[in-house]
Amino acid sequence: MDSQRLFSTLPPTIEWRDGDLLLLDQTRLPHEIVVENVADVQSVWRAIRELRVRGAPAIGVAAAYGLCIAMRDSTALPIAEFRAALERQAVWLESARPTAVNLSWGLRRMLDRARATDAHDAAMLYQALVEEARRIHEEDVALCEGIGMHGMALIREGSGVLTHCNAGALATTGTGTATAPIYAAHRAGRAFKVYADETRPLLQGARLTAFELQQAGVDVTLIMDSAAASIMSQGLVDLVIVGTDRVAANGDFANKIGTLGVAIAAHHYGIPFYVACPSSTLDLHTAGGARIEIEERAAEEVTHLAGRRVAPDAIQARNPAFDVTPHALVTGFITERGIVKPPFEHALRSLFAAEGNAA
Ligand code: MRU
């Protein structure tokens, strides 16, 4: 099920319509629903960098279509020049954000398709690129469905489920990753409660997760990030499900800053901690979490709230956008092919040996 069918009142996260790329501007949600027609590749780069489109899988799909936008007006070029420009644009788009592996994964899929296409002219090659981007988009919807199907059994009648950031429909083009089991269990008629961490500093939990779960009729309660451990200590959480931006070969994974603290608290209280991970977010080339590049964003996101400075002038501030959780704190990865249990390296490699980020 794609995000549009899940929320009849919301436009899709990403849409390719008659050669145009339409993005739902996630920085304006939940109060304004604005769709941006992204006219050129600079705007695609900025939309990714500024989180108008965000969430690892959505970034991958947007980047694939972004390459189409980059090449849309170049179909009159000689084919060798078209190919050279395509490679340059992919390198540039990849620089938009460093942590989510889906960005380089989506771009590499596009370049692999171009290299394997024996086209007579640039127009023909451009068509092959559009076809590949569409395929990546459709696959993303299917990956979410698979995660939902395998993960829904974890959510029982009366469960309390905690999630962090937004690994929801808005972070993908389908039903989300961490939210896919939630939507599937909800559709099956199960009654349960979700606690959504607000997710400082950009509030993806408050603005996006709370919003989309509420729209879908799921029983959701918004909490401060700092309340998660306390809610767990009260016995209200039976299960944590988070998303991820990159899973290393040994099962260490990067996700939104604050995930590590949630994992440590869950471990302390003996609460199962699951990571929803589509194969597009697996990076079996990276041995462990220490090698994952963590995006550091502007200090103003920390020193200011809703455009107003709340910290002293000239204060030093750090703003790492992600953290790395060691695999020892992970109960299992919910993938589109099933739930992967430790030892992760062996299990992930045997299940996904032929996938793009593993091959
Ligand atoms: O900075 P963001 O909003 O792109 O961070 C998003 C997350 O950390 C998500 O949990 C992750 O990308 C998984 S999305 C299915």
Side-chain angles (χ1 to χ4, degrees):
M1 185 184 288
D2 62 23
S3 53
Q4 189 172 26
R5 283 175 54 216
L6 188 61
F7 314 106
S8 50
T9 50
L10 265 189
T13 316
I14 297 172
E15 189 180 3
W16 182 258
R17 195 194 293 164
D18 303 329
D20 282 336
L21 175 58
L22 307 179
L23 299 178
L24 173 61
D25 184 345
Q26 301 196 29
T27 61
R28 313 278 281 267
L29 290 171
H31 299 303
E32 288 176 283
I33 295 178
V34 176
V35 173
E36 184 186 4
N37 186 336
V38 199
D40 51 45
V41 67
Q42 284 76 17
S43 307
V44 179
W45 188 93
R46 274 200 308 274
I48 295 173
R49 175 72 134 215
E50 293 166 6
L51 274 58
R52 290 201 290 283
V53 60
R54 35 68 51 204
I59 291 172
V61 175
Y65 283 132
L67 259 194
C68 299
I69 294 294
M71 304 312 298
R72 186 172 54 180
D73 299 328
S74 302
T75 53
L77 285 179
I79 188 137
E81 279 179 40
F82 184 94
R83 284 185 186 280
L86 176 71
E87 303 269 343
R88 281 196 305 274
Q89 298 288 9
V91 170
W92 186 68
L93 269 177
E94 195 180 343
S95 69
R97 292 188 80 187
T99 305
V101 73
N102 301 61
L103 178 56
S104 53
W105 170 85
L107 293 168
R108 200 172 58 241
R109 278 268 306 253
M110 297 291 283
L111 292 182
D112 285 351
R113 173 68 188 262
R115 289 170 192 149
T117 302
D118 187 18
H120 304 305
D121 57 27
M124 203 173 152
L125 191 48
Y126 173 74
Q127 282 315 320
L129 290 174
V130 172
E131 211 179 274
E132 188 66 17
R134 281 217 170 98
R135 188 173 297 169
I136 290 170
H137 187 165
E138 281 164 18
E139 283 174 16
D140 183 54
V141 175
L143 294 181
C144 295
E145 284 299 306
I147 290 171
M149 198 178 78
H150 292 291
M152 69 183 285
L154 298 171
I155 302 176
R156 307 221 168 86
E157 186 73 21
S159 288
V161 184
L162 186 136
T163 191
H164 187 74
C165 192
N166 176 264
L170 291 162
T172 67
T173 55
T175 54
T177 61
T179 57
I182 291 173
Y183 288 126
H186 179 68
R187 279 204 300 266
R190 241 165 269 166
F192 57 93
K193 238 179 154 27
V194 177
Y195 294 95
D197 286 353
E198 63 173 346
T199 319
R200 275 276 290 151
L202 298 181
L203 304 180
Q204 290 94 328
R207 294 186 303 102
L208 307 176
T209 305
F211 173 63
E212 64 164 86
L213 292 178
Q214 185 190 52
Q215 292 277 310
V218 174
D219 178 352
V220 57
T221 302
L222 177 65
I223 59 171
M224 294 181 299
D225 298 333
S226 47
S230 166
I231 296 278
M232 289 184 198
S233 77
Q234 294 165 41
L236 297 174
V237 179
D238 301 289
L239 172 72
V240 175
I241 310 180
V242 296
T244 174
D245 290 82
R246 190 185 292 249
V247 177
N250 67 350
D252 295 350
F253 75 98
N255 193 46
K256 180 54 56 193
I257 191 76
T259 303
L260 173 60
V262 172
I264 291 170
H267 184 73
H268 180 80
Y269 289 108
I271 298 167
F273 181 93
Y274 284 91
V275 182
C277 170
S279 52
S280 54
T281 308
L282 260 185
D283 178 8
L284 298 183
H285 295 298
T286 293
R291 293 180 174 272
I292 299 177
E293 185 180 346
I294 298 297
E295 177 181 7
E296 183 91 24
R297 295 185 63 84
E300 286 70 37
E301 292 179 356
V302 177
T303 56
H304 290 62
L305 265 187
R308 261 195 68 210
R309 175 171 271 280
V310 290
D313 287 337
I315 192 74
Q316 295 183 59
R318 287 279 315 274
N319 186 14
F322 300 94
D323 57 27
V324 171
T325 298
H327 62 271
L329 298 177
V330 178
T331 308
F333 289 93
I334 312 170
T335 77
E336 73 271 16
R337 298 206 182 143
I339 297 184
V340 172
K341 294 284 189 142
F344 293 124
E345 177 132 21
H346 174 74
L348 289 171
R349 277 198 197 282
S350 48
L351 209 50
F352 294 104
E355 302 303 319
N357 290 323

